[in-house]
Structure formats: structure tokens, C-alpha cells
Amino acid sequence: MGIIYNSEERIFKIDTPKSTYMLGIGDDFGHIVHVYYGKKIEGDTFGIPLPTIDPKNKIWYMDGSKMEYPTGDIGDFREHCIEIKNANGAHALECGYKKHRIYGGKPEIPGLPATFAGENECTTLELTLVDEIAGVELVLIYSAFEDVDVITRSVRVKNIGSDELKLTKILSACIDVDNNNFEIITLHGSWGRERHIQRNKLTYGRYGVYSERGVSSHQDHPFMAIVEGGTTQKMGEVYAMNFVYSGNFEAQCELTPQNAARMVMGINPYQFEWTLNSGEVFDAPEVVMVYSANGLGEMTRNFHDLYRKHLIRGKYKSTKRPILINNWEATYFNFDTDKLLSIASKAAELGIEMLVVDDGWFGNRFDDNRALGDWVVNEDKIKGGLKYLVDEVNKLGMKFGMWFEPEMVCPDSDLYRAHPDWAISIPGREPGRARNQLVLDITRKEVRDYIFESMSKVLHSANVEYVKWDMNRALTDVWSADLAADRQGEFYHRYVLGVYDLQGRLIKEFPDLLLENCSSGGGRYDPGMLYFSPQIWCSDNADAITRLDIQEGTSLIYPLSTMGAHITDCPNHSNGRVTPFETRGIVALAGTFGYELDITKIPEEERKQIPDQIAMYHRYNDLVREGDYYRILSFRENNRDDSYMVVSKDKKEALVTFVQVMHMTSVPNLPVKLEGLDPDTMYRIDEIDMTLSGSVLMNAGLPVKWEHGDYKAGLYYLKAVE
Ligand code: DGJ
């Protein structure tokens, strides 16, 4: 059992394989204090004194102790997790221990994505706290996994009073840990430049990343880690949080006057106000917490294992994905059945397994100014109809997939002309457009039903085996005709619940469908979406060199199996860079792998490489998808080269990627010191015609080739010699 309660010491102890988390019932009132989070502590007695409360100075206690789930207006002036407003206008919330329950397994969170585990894979603590005066019951839910150093947290709030209650802020997790010369790591970016790693010293005050865009966003990411000063991939203490949510979020860390770091994560309180009538419940989304005493690499591998085993679902959870060719960068809107079939037949000849028809197959969609919402096949373009096209593609031995942007509507569309009120807008105000599109109010069931039915109709009409679900703008002008004036603060969260409802219905109706999420590239790449789709388009920027940073930041948390990565044409459509076709292939191999170019037009010498690239994908994908990931060198840090590797769980094989981004005249590449191998095993490496021990490879390093020119990439496959 990963969780125990020591009733004499009034301490709960939550264990994962290598970490321990403790919280206590701090005083007679039953405030819950945080006791410890860090390296595993064995045993079931601790002798750790809990802070004592002096009723004459309660506020000092509230503001100076480590609190487990700080509440508003009772003296904890650091960032707190929950704020309410009672019918009489009061905000104070002071919850005391009422009861607890410890059990095997993990509950679902109604309406929300969450990690899952069987009875023997996980233990859960539900801690119920009550404030009778405010009429609030809080249930703090902790689950500890048996196989990964992960603790998940979520919170349920119930109105146990007789009057209406407003919930104006609800975060899902908080930790108070003693400062260890902390640095703070977050992920930032923009379109085409998602999830770049940023690291700063943690200083006094509050540092946060937030989204108020309605999606988790390109700009900031629902992830935060505080790390011991100087932490590397292999060394140092790491506390990390990642939010299983796809909308507005807050991730914040405060270095407190007590020299502790308070890190919190949850729904962004921006415009949030949720009404709870008597007896009603609100479930806050889940936060995943990882502790590593051994650097960032171990943190990464915990996240990867958790998400691969306990978050991603469906037929493609742990199988090879079909190698696709997507027509977006090949044709943009300018295609018809003949063009698509010419791409498909050339692709099939070379071993590509699926054709994906991107934006432009429906309604009057000849450019990006019109027709979103009209999910009816445009037979002027798709001559012969969708079934004909799909059947022809299937005859080539390929699967077929297609693009939708279900949450959107263009003012120039049949849908908008029939239901202008379905677009999100504020009465009397012209809603802001982006890419000439508006967002549908999917907080409304009738709107969701329309979307679901129109998509289902198309998907049932032919053998469609893949859907790319796109979402190309942020939310603004939010207001819903279905919500009363005093409930408009529920909009943003209801929108996210709407997305989850729709995607849940879609994969239930089409259980074998491979769903890929996308949001102008990687604008909604988060664990919430991974619960519905095993892969997400990582970025619209597929330039191999820009992708090094993007894929480094993404793989800091998310498994390689989730990262949509394509080989595209050069000069690159986003930044004009020209890189060798081979390098583009090697960099895309770190993700789901596919092509997005006009295969009928690229130079013959590039086309000739495709069968080898495909063979490489088939040879290595099981390893890339399921292995342990190690970040070896970062071009972001050294401005010269980049390297990462994947090692099989049994350490019998490994694949090292080395990208020589900049050739340095007269300074040969240094050997690359590998990680994660068995020191005593001999590994055969055909690419350099050598057999070396794990110990040599990890200490002296792998002698990588030094090539003439920039942007050169190489793969090195290590196979244990029996
Ligand atoms: C944005 C996506 O990220 C692209 O891959 C492509 O699908 C376009 N939208 C189509 O409009």
C-alpha cells in the first residue's frame, strides 16, 4: 500500500517507488499542514513535529506554516488555492479535517480527463475537510502510483450549505518546500516556436505562467518545475507539476518570506466564477506531480512512463502509427481528387501507409476565409465523392485520414447563415476574428450535437481511419446565450468540458479511429488532449533545426510517441531554411513520423531516400515509442550540436541521434557520453564498425562522425552482443 496514516502522529505518508510525500492534521481544529516531499523515507513512524497553533496568534500560524491546501481570507497571505463567496458576501474559508479514506485504484474525475490505474497499480487518499460556516466540503484527492514516481492530485468542492455559493478560484495542487537554491523551469513560445525551455533563478516574489486564451496555448505551458540550483539531466532535486487540462491555467511559484517555495497549479481564476447551489459539486482537474532526486532526466522518464501507461488510451496506445503523408504543405487549398490520388499513388509506391487530406475538402473552402462549420464534402474538389476517393486510396494499400476544425465557424458559411447565434459573441458587440473565423459556443449542447452529427456523417460515409482535429484561434468576446448573467464566469471551463465531451463521443463512436490533436501546430499540446488522442501535431514549423528546440522542450514532459513530426519540403515554409533531406528524416524519427510535401514534385534524389527512411521507421519505431529517453546534448545550450537517445527497457538496444548543427572547422566533434546503458554489456554499433561496452560508451563516449557542413545528422544503433 503506497499510503498510510499514522494516527498517533496524525501524519499521512504517501509513497511512490523513490519519493515520499507527507501531510498532517496540524491542530485540534484540523488544519492540514504540509510535512515533507522528497526522497523516499522508509517506515511508518517519523517523529516530525507538526507546527503548533496559538489561538491568540492564529494568523501567524496560517501565514508561517507549510499549508497543504491554503484557503482564502484566514491569514495565509501567500498564493492560496481556493476562494469562495457566500450568499452574505463573505469570502473566508477555513476547512478542518473531517474524515479520510485510503483505497486501491484511482477514481475518475467526472467530465474530465485524468490518469488511470487499476487497484493494484495505485493507492488513493481522499481527505475530507469541512467549513460548516461557509457551507463547504473539500475533498483533497491524492493518488500514488506503484510503478512511477508520480503523485496526482485533484480537488472536489461541495456546497453543503443551504444557500448558493460562488467559487471564484480553485487550484488543484500546492506544495510548500524549503528553498534549495531553486531555479524554475517553464516552457514558452509562439506559433511555430512552441515549448522552448526557459530557466531562471527563483527569487522573492511570485513568478507565474498563465493562459487566458481558452486553450493551454503556444505561449505558455501548463508545466512548471523547481530544481535545485545547478540541476542537470543526471543530478539535482526536481519538483515538477503538469496540468491535465486544456484551457486557461495558472502555474505559479512564490519564494515566501519563510524561504520556502510555494508552487501551485490549477484553473486560471481569470473570469472564473462558478455557482454551486446547495448540494452541488465542482471537480477540479488533475495535477501530476513528479519528484526526482536525480535530475531532469529521471523526471522526464517518469512523465513519459506515466503518460504512456496511465493516460493514453485506445488502439494506438502502444502500437506503431501508420506513416502518413499530409497534403497541407503540398497543396494548401489547391487540390482535387486527381491531385490527391497522384500523391497517394507515388506515396504508396514508396511505402507510405496513409493519405491525410488536410484543410479544404468541405463546403466552399477554397481559402481560409470561408466555410468552417460546413462539414459537407465539396464534390467539385473531391470529384466522385469521398467514398470513391477513400476506396481508391485503400486500393493502393493505404489508409485514409482527414482534417476537421470542429470548434469553428466562418461568417461566410451556411452554418453561420443558419445559426449566427451559435458563434461566441457578446450581444451588441462585433466579435474579433482571427483567420476570418469565429468560435462556436460548444458550452451549448445543441451546438455540440450539430458538430458531432455532421462529423459522424462524414466519417461513416467512407473508410476514414484517422482524424486531425485542429483549433486555430484563441477565445475572445466570451459570452453564452445559455448562461445567465451571473453564470458567465463558467464559460471558459464549460468550453473545455465541451471539447472533452465532443472528443469523448467521437472516440466512443469510432473506437478504432486514430485521432491527432492540433492547434495551429502545438497550441493545445497538453495531457488533457493526450487522454483523447495518442498524438498531437507538435508545431507548424517542421524545419529540422527549429524542431530541435521544440522537440527538446516537448519531450521534457511528453513521450516521443505523442509528438507529431513530419518531413517537409525545403526551403522550409516557415523559415526558409534548407536542410538535408536525410537530417529532416532523422529529426522526424523522434516523433510519429510522416511526410508533408508534394511527393510528385520533390527532387528525385530526395524521393529515392524515402524507402530507406521508411525502413528506418519500421526498424526503430518500437524502440523510439516505448524506450527510455535520455537528453544528451542540447543545441539550445551549446550552439553547436544536439543529441538524444532512447534505450530499450531491457537495455539490449539503444538508438542515439546526433545532429551536428554547426560544423566547426578544425575542432572535431567530441565523443558523446551516453546514458542508461548496462555498463557490462558489449554493444555492436555498425555505423562506426565498433563493439564497445556500456561502460566505455557512458564514460569515454561514443565517437560520433565529424562531417563537412552544417545540419548533418546521424543515427547510431546499439545492439547488445549476446
Ligand atoms: C493549422 C495546422 O497546424 C496545419 O497543420 C494545417 O492543418 C492548417 N491549420 C490548415 O488550416
Side-chain angles (χ1 to χ4, degrees):
M1 213 37 154
I3 304 181
I4 56 164
Y5 178 56
N6 179 328
S7 55
E8 272 172 33
E9 299 190 27
R10 294 158 64 101
I11 284 181
F12 296 91
K13 178 172 178 260
I14 303 175
D15 282 332
T16 69
K18 291 200 227 161
S19 73
T20 290
Y21 187 100
M22 286 195 241
L23 52 147
I25 306 172
D27 49 58
D28 289 345
F29 179 84
H31 296 109
I32 304 297
V33 291
H34 180 73
V35 178
Y36 173 83
Y37 190 21
K39 260 192 197 172
K40 179 105 169 220
I41 292 179
E42 300 295 347
D44 49 17
T45 56
F46 321 109
I48 302 177
L50 300 180
T52 47
I53 187 167
D54 167 3
K56 288 201 300 300
N57 285 310
K58 181 180 118 188
I59 289 174
W60 296 354
Y61 169 86
M62 299 310 303
D63 203 31
S65 310
K66 293 196 173 91
M67 287 296 166
E68 190 55 28
Y69 191 74
T71 58
D73 201 27
I74 54 163
D76 188 340
F77 297 105
R78 298 158 294 182
E79 182 76 2
H80 43 263
C81 287
I82 181 166
E83 282 173 16
I84 56 145
K85 193 157 102 185
N86 275 129
N88 64 3
H91 296 276
L93 181 62
E94 184 166 22
C95 293
Y97 171 83
K98 173 112 187 275
K99 60 180 180 180
H100 72 268
R101 190 160 85 90
I102 297 173
Y103 55 91
K106 190 169 183 300
E108 289 182 6
I109 308 180
L112 286 167
T115 56
F116 50 81
E119 250 179 56
N120 300 320
E121 295 175 308
C122 185
T123 311
T124 294
L125 164 67
E126 289 191 6
L127 193 56
T128 304
L129 319 175
V130 165
D131 180 334
E132 299 283 358
I133 298 164
V136 170
E137 178 188 270
L138 286 183
V139 185
L140 308 184
I141 304 165
Y142 301 78
S143 296
F145 287 78
E146 297 286 326
D147 56 349
V148 274
D149 284 303
V150 169
I151 295 168
T152 57
R153 287 180 64 172
S154 61
V155 181
R156 190 182 314 136
V157 190
K158 183 172 181 188
N159 180 352
I160 54 169
S162 44
D163 294 331
E164 178 189 282
L165 179 80
K166 295 278 189 199
L167 189 58
T168 52
K169 174 177 181 180
I170 175 141
L171 305 182
S172 298
C174 168
I175 54 169
D176 276 345
V177 285
D178 292 331
N179 189 11
N180 188 6
N181 189 23
F182 282 135
E183 295 164 13
I184 186 161
I185 297 179
T186 48
L187 301 173
H188 299 272
S190 59
W191 175 84
R193 203 173 51 82
E194 296 89 337
R195 290 173 298 287
H196 281 46
I197 296 172
Q198 176 170 290
R199 185 165 172 165
N200 297 309
K201 177 125 186 76
L202 180 66
T203 49
Y204 282 102
R206 297 177 188 188
Y207 175 80
V209 291
Y210 311 86
S211 170
E212 296 175 357
R213 296 166 190 268
V215 289
S216 44
S217 90
H218 299 84
Q219 288 75 11
D220 289 301
H221 200 73
F223 165 81
M224 181 169 271
I226 47 174
V227 305
E228 177 180 356
T231 287
T232 65
Q233 285 292 318
K234 292 195 260 191
M235 279 165 24
E237 198 169 41
V238 179
Y239 297 89
M241 286 186 184
N242 192 197
F243 199 23
V244 189
Y245 191 62
S246 311
N248 292 347
F249 70 87
E250 163 177 337
Q252 198 191 90
C253 191
E254 174 179 5
L255 187 57
T256 70
Q258 297 79 20
N259 201 22
R262 170 169 287 183
M263 181 158 67
V264 296
M265 188 171 274
I267 293 177
N268 191 331
Y270 170 72
Q271 286 194 24
F272 176 83
E273 186 174 82
W274 196 277
T275 302
L276 284 176
N277 288 314
S278 178
E280 283 182 349
V281 163
F282 182 89
D283 288 288
E286 177 169 274
V287 166
V288 173
M289 303 196 307
V290 173
Y291 171 79
S292 158
N294 302 306
L296 285 164
E298 198 168 286
M299 174 204 78
T300 292
R301 290 183 287 282
N302 273 299
F303 276 121
H304 287 196
D305 283 344
L306 179 83
Y307 292 154
R308 285 185 296 208
K309 279 202 213 155
H310 300 289
L311 180 71
I312 293 167
R313 303 173 294 166
K315 175 175 160 183
Y316 288 97
K317 177 184 170 86
S318 37
T319 52
K320 229 193 281 175
R321 319 282 159 73
I323 299 173
L324 63 82
I325 184 158
N326 177 306
N327 75 313
W328 179 241
E329 288 202 9
T331 65
Y332 294 104
F333 293 101
N334 187 17
F335 62 86
D336 61 12
T337 296
D338 292 343
K339 180 68 203 168
L340 294 172
L341 287 179
S342 74
I343 292 177
S345 69
K346 189 45 91 189
E349 251 172 53
L350 299 171
I352 295 173
E353 299 162 320
M354 179 161 73
L355 174 75
V356 173
V357 177
D358 210 281
D359 193 352
W361 55 264
F362 52 92
N364 188 28
R365 185 79 168 168
F366 289 96
D367 58 31
D368 59 7
N369 287 313
R370 63 204 85 249
L372 289 174
D374 297 344
W375 303 113
V376 176
V377 175
N378 178 329
E379 297 205 3
D380 289 336
K381 280 181 161 188
I382 309 297
K383 296 188 182 74
L386 184 67
K387 183 156 174 17
Y388 169 74
L389 172 64
V390 179
D391 287 348
E392 290 302 302
V393 170
N394 288 165
K395 277 187 210 155
L396 295 167
M398 293 176 89
K399 296 180 191 296
F400 181 87
M402 61 201 300
W403 179 98
F404 288 85
E405 195 175 356
E407 297 153 70
M408 299 294 154
V409 63
C410 289
D412 180 3
S413 68
D414 293 342
L415 179 65
Y416 188 80
R417 283 182 281 275
H419 298 284
D421 61 306
W422 283 8
I424 298 171
S425 63
I426 298 169
R429 188 182 287 278
E430 172 81 22
R433 283 180 247 172
R435 219 188 179 203
N436 223 342
Q437 63 198 54
L438 301 171
V439 188
L440 287 168
D441 181 0
I442 58 168
T443 69
R444 294 168 65 174
K445 183 162 182 314
E446 58 188 323
V447 179
R448 293 200 302 278
D449 287 347
Y450 164 81
I451 295 171
F452 178 71
E453 276 149 28
S454 55
M455 284 180 82
S456 292
K457 200 166 165 199
V458 175
L459 297 177
H460 276 302
S461 74
N463 184 23
V464 181
E465 296 179 76
Y466 161 107
V467 162
K468 176 176 172 187
W469 180 304
D470 204 348
M471 199 286 185
N472 283 304
R473 59 158 287 179
L475 272 51
T476 60
D477 306 281
V478 306
W479 188 86
S480 175
D482 266 15
L483 295 171
D486 69 341
R487 298 195 79 145
Q488 294 293 333
E490 299 179 12
F491 186 93
Y492 277 111
H493 183 58
R494 287 191 184 276
Y495 184 91
V496 180
L497 294 177
V499 175
Y500 295 151
D501 174 57
L502 271 172
Q503 296 207 353
R505 281 160 81 176
L506 191 72
I507 56 176
K508 191 161 174 229
E509 179 80 3
F510 301 96
D512 289 338
L513 188 75
L514 173 56
L515 185 62
E516 175 158 351
N517 267 291
C518 170
S519 176
S520 294
R524 199 164 56 181
Y525 199 129
D526 57 61
M529 300 318 286
L530 284 179
Y531 185 70
F532 299 96
S533 69
Q535 60 194 56
I536 301 178
W537 181 226
C538 191
S539 175
D540 276 348
N541 192 334
D543 164 52
I545 304 307
T546 311
R547 273 293 180 118
L548 295 177
D549 277 355
I550 298 173
Q551 293 183 183
E552 180 185 2
T554 306
S555 61
L556 184 69
I557 324 171
Y558 304 110
L560 304 186
S561 61
T562 67
M563 275 190 330
H566 297 167
I567 298 169
T568 56
D569 206 0
C570 275
N572 178 270
H573 291 204
S574 303
N575 63 11
R577 185 168 4 226
V578 176
T579 52
F581 199 68
E582 191 186 10
T583 298
R584 283 177 261 159
I586 287 175
V587 173
L589 192 73
T592 56
F593 197 76
Y595 293 83
E596 190 166 330
L597 38 70
D598 189 342
I599 202 166
T600 66
K601 288 196 182 141
I602 57 171
E604 185 55 23
E605 60 274 19
E606 293 186 352
R607 203 168 24 240
K608 277 205 308 233
Q609 292 183 43
I610 292 179
D612 284 346
Q613 288 178 330
I614 284 174
M616 166 179 94
Y617 170 81
H618 288 303
R619 199 174 322 128
Y620 299 134
N621 184 256
D622 285 349
L623 176 58
V624 170
R625 228 182 39 247
E626 305 289 341
D628 287 334
Y629 174 82
Y630 292 84
R631 168 56 55 175
I632 307 293
L633 296 169
S634 166
F635 170 61
R636 178 180 54 84
E637 287 172 355
N638 64 34
N639 284 319
R640 179 172 174 181
D641 40 32
D642 204 74
S643 181
Y644 44 88
M645 64 185 291
V646 185
V647 183
S648 63
K649 293 277 179 196
D650 64 5
K651 298 190 184 294
K652 294 237 159 67
E653 53 174 346
L655 185 69
V656 180
T657 303
F658 177 79
V659 186
Q660 178 191 295
V661 185
M662 313 280 273
H663 170 88
M664 262 190 148
T665 309
S666 82
V667 185
N669 294 327
L670 297 174
V672 173
K673 292 183 184 171
L674 304 186
E675 282 189 57
L677 302 172
D678 174 21
D680 300 325
T681 294
M682 298 301 293
Y683 293 93
R684 176 69 199 159
I685 312 154
D686 283 345
E687 291 81 1
I688 48 170
D689 194 18
M690 282 179 158
T691 303
L692 299 169
S693 71
S695 181
V696 165
L697 288 162
M698 291 191 290
N699 295 305
L702 170 77
V704 290
K705 292 176 210 157
W706 183 38
E707 297 196 63
H708 201 70
D710 295 342
Y711 313 143
K712 302 288 183 183
L715 287 177
Y716 300 83
Y717 176 65
L718 281 54
K719 178 88 187 140
V721 179
E722 298 297 336

